[in-house]
Amino acid sequence: MQCTTWKFYAGTNTIGGNIISMEYGSHRLIFDMGRAFRGDVPSFDERLQPRSAMDLMAVGLAPDIAGIFQGDDRVSSMHTAIAISHCHLDHTGLLPYVRTDLPVFTSTGTHRILQVLDAVADGPRSPLSYRPVEPETWVHFGPFHLQFVPVDHGTPGASAIFIKTPDARLVYTGDLRLHGLHRDETERFITFAREFHPDVLFIEGTRSGDLGDPSENVSEHDVTRGVLEQTVRANAGVYFNVYERHPERLHAFRCAAKAANRELVLDAVTAYMYHHFEGVSDFAVWAEEDARLPEALSRWLRDTGVKQIRPSDVCGLEHVYAAQLPYSRLHYLIDIQPADGGRYLHSDGTPLGPYDPAWANMLRWLDHFGLEFVAMGSSGHATRRDLVNILEAIEPKVCMPIHSLQPWRIGSPRIPRLMPRISHVYSLTDLSGATPPTVSSFESQAPPDEPERTTGSLS
Ligand SMILES: [Zn+2]
Ligand SMILES: [Zn+2]
């Protein structure tokens, strides 16, 4: 007899890169298709590039799933579709390698940002068979019915995915939070998910390491206030580092620049994103001298006539500007020659943290030029406490924590849980074996000695 099964290929104990393949009969739905940072396998970088997905597969950076990647000669008899929760690279990083004839379901918002990123040469750049879906609208692929429900994650289009099959109801949270500017979206998702009565909730657990101290959490409103305070108080240079896939964050810097009577200067790609998502264009951009600029970006710079500033223009006039200075433009400091008392507001741009070798180098640049580093970020992920509340509010039959370095710390003594394991094939019959975790098991920072039930057959 046919039944729904699912299998985890990656992302059960990493931040992102979760790939789950769900099957029913001759159809399979795979979500998401990203790459996680992993320190345990050989990796590629700007100088060492993979030739195809086969190279990624060979070192364990892409799942070994027959028939979904370009250049893979293995034929699969399965009808396959992919669903993507949001645009971040840990959820989309493998899209450039996916076969171009496979349907790729996304929310309309995620589709739009991927298209805009493609235009400025930072997206998947692959002519994929996108199937954009309006929020909260059911679509079907064979026996699968799916729906994208918006959540707040600090990037346009971020959604949870609801899945209905002939015998199961499943919800994948994607990445989400309750301390952003759109808390109402996540709350609405929680209500919908509760009413959906899911058999299984796949829940993200990025912040499983939280210790429960409320000061651990910086809200998006805190960032807005902090940026304003820092900028208004400054009497020398103000530079900042943001993530271009979070265009709404730029509002904080634009408002602060206005309040401090400074001119906002943005990197051209960030400016393009800000303009296309928030409709704003009262800023200057760093002058682009690169002749290989993407056509869409050159045209936009030409058509809008946006003012262009060179680093040498800022030298001696730092108090006039509040300028975005991404890692790739740190050498502008050589031309700017910052005066004493300048600051660098790090607001979730890359490098993201000390695990990235570029982080230490960034700090050396700031130190060399006498700029004070100021952390000014807000996580796109719910606190551990919020995750537990979300889980208890939705009350699925069983939860399976993913997207986490300490997944055992995500759970509730009220909700049965199965700890997902790579390559096990799960079905609804496994759910009856799930038990709620004990408080001691999910309060521990160390993995539990006794593995919890991970029923399912190896395949
Ligand atoms: Zn993620
Ligand atoms: Zn994300």
Side-chain angles (χ1 to χ4, degrees):
M1 204 180 81
Q2 289 186 338
C3 71
T4 304
T5 63
W6 61 96
K7 179 167 153 178
F8 299 86
Y9 280 91
T12 54
N13 57 2
T14 50
I15 303 292
N18 28 267
I19 297 176
I20 304 171
S21 176
M22 193 165 284
E23 298 186 5
Y24 189 95
S26 58
H27 283 73
R28 87 182 150 192
L29 179 71
I30 303 174
F31 50 94
D32 278 306
M33 197 43 75
R35 289 169 68 176
F37 175 83
R38 289 180 59 179
D40 60 337
V41 295
S43 63
F44 293 92
D45 56 32
E46 281 179 13
R47 284 178 294 174
L48 180 59
Q49 293 279 318
R51 293 163 295 183
S52 70
M54 302 304 108
D55 283 353
L56 295 170
M57 224 185 262
V59 295
L61 290 172
D64 187 3
I65 307 178
I68 66 163
F69 292 118
Q70 300 164 36
D72 183 357
D73 297 332
R74 295 174 298 172
V75 178
S76 167
S77 58
M78 300 296 286
H79 300 286
T80 305
I82 288 166
I84 298 292
S85 64
H86 64 289
C87 72
H88 287 162
L89 284 169
D90 60 317
H91 299 259
T92 59
L94 291 174
L95 281 183
Y97 305 97
V98 162
R99 264 175 42 194
T100 55
D101 59 323
L102 296 187
V104 177
F105 292 96
T106 70
S107 69
T108 44
T110 295
H111 179 245
R112 182 156 175 254
I113 192 165
L114 289 175
Q115 298 293 103
V116 172
L117 285 164
D118 269 349
V120 291
D122 198 27
R125 290 196 295 280
S126 198
L128 293 164
S129 301
Y130 284 117
R131 301 277 194 279
V133 183
E134 291 292 338
E136 298 171 21
T137 306
W138 287 107
V139 285
H140 73 90
F141 172 70
F144 293 102
H145 289 251
L146 61 153
Q147 179 176 145
F148 293 89
V149 177
V151 292
D152 184 18
H153 178 47
T155 197
S159 303
I161 306 176
F162 287 40
I163 301 164
K164 255 189 318 199
T165 70
D167 63 346
R169 289 165 174 259
L170 308 106
V171 172
Y172 164 47
T173 62
D175 292 350
L176 78 181
R177 63 177 176 175
L178 279 166
H179 56 268
L181 299 177
H182 306 285
R183 179 187 171 100
D184 55 315
E185 286 187 346
T186 302
E187 285 174 337
R188 186 175 160 88
F189 151 73
I190 295 167
T191 305
F192 276 22
R194 181 183 178 83
E195 289 168 356
F196 187 62
H197 300 295
D199 296 298
V200 181
L201 177 70
F202 303 111
I203 186 166
E204 73 120 318
T206 307
R207 294 178 66 180
S208 54
D210 280 4
L211 298 175
D213 176 356
S215 69
E216 283 178 324
N217 199 39
V218 179
S219 73
E220 205 67 44
H221 286 296
D222 294 334
V223 169
T224 304
R225 271 193 298 274
V227 170
L228 180 67
E229 236 175 75
Q230 289 283 338
T231 310
V232 169
R233 270 207 335 241
N235 44 26
V238 172
Y239 305 96
F240 58 92
N241 184 347
V242 290
Y243 188 31
E244 69 279 357
R245 294 183 192 216
H246 185 4
E248 198 177 32
R249 174 69 60 78
L250 267 308
H251 282 325
F253 290 92
R254 176 167 168 261
C255 291
K258 276 189 194 307
N261 212 14
R262 290 175 180 246
E263 181 160 23
L264 187 68
V265 184
L266 299 177
D267 174 81
V269 168
T270 308
Y272 184 90
M273 301 287 291
Y274 193 28
H275 177 78
H276 281 79
F277 282 91
E278 302 295 328
V280 176
S281 55
D282 54 350
F283 43 66
V285 298
W286 290 118
E288 289 290 355
E289 282 145 17
D290 189 348
R292 295 162 301 169
L293 216 54
E295 169 55 26
L297 196 52
S298 308
R299 198 172 50 239
W300 176 75
L301 287 170
R302 235 183 5 253
D303 292 351
T304 53
V306 60
K307 184 174 164 189
Q308 302 203 17
I309 305 277
R310 288 172 313 213
S312 55
D313 298 333
V314 178
C315 180
L317 291 172
E318 287 177 280
H319 59 282
V320 173
Y321 302 103
Q324 182 191 4
L325 202 61
Y327 180 81
S328 60
R329 295 187 194 266
L330 282 174
H331 56 288
Y332 283 10
L333 294 172
I334 296 167
D335 300 339
I336 293 171
Q337 299 174 38
D340 289 347
R343 53 197 73 184
Y344 189 80
L345 313 183
H346 188 271
S347 193
D348 299 319
T350 56
L352 286 171
Y355 66 84
D356 185 336
W359 179 263
N361 193 37
M362 173 185 74
L363 296 182
R364 283 195 293 274
W365 275 83
L366 302 184
D367 186 50
H368 184 82
F369 287 97
L371 293 178
E372 182 192 354
F373 173 91
V374 184
M376 201 48 75
S378 171
S379 172
H381 301 275
T383 63
R384 176 169 175 255
R385 184 184 300 254
D386 282 345
L387 287 171
V388 173
N389 289 339
I390 289 169
L391 172 59
E392 291 182 344
I394 293 174
E395 223 180 339
K397 281 198 189 124
V398 168
C399 82
M400 299 188 89
I402 54 173
H403 198 292
S404 178
L405 295 175
Q406 296 173 301
W408 64 88
R409 281 176 54 81
I410 301 299
S412 159
R414 288 170 30 199
I415 314 281
R417 178 174 80 173
L418 279 178
M419 294 304 288
R421 284 185 64 184
I422 300 290
S423 295
H424 280 69
V425 176
Y426 293 89
S427 71
L428 289 186
T429 55
D430 295 306
L431 303 189
S432 56
T435 51
T438 60
V439 172
S440 64
S441 85
F442 70 77
E443 286 303 339
S444 166
Q445 289 285 351
D449 296 335
E450 286 294 310
E452 271 176 62
R453 285 186 70 99
T454 52
T455 49
S457 55
L458 196 63
S459 152

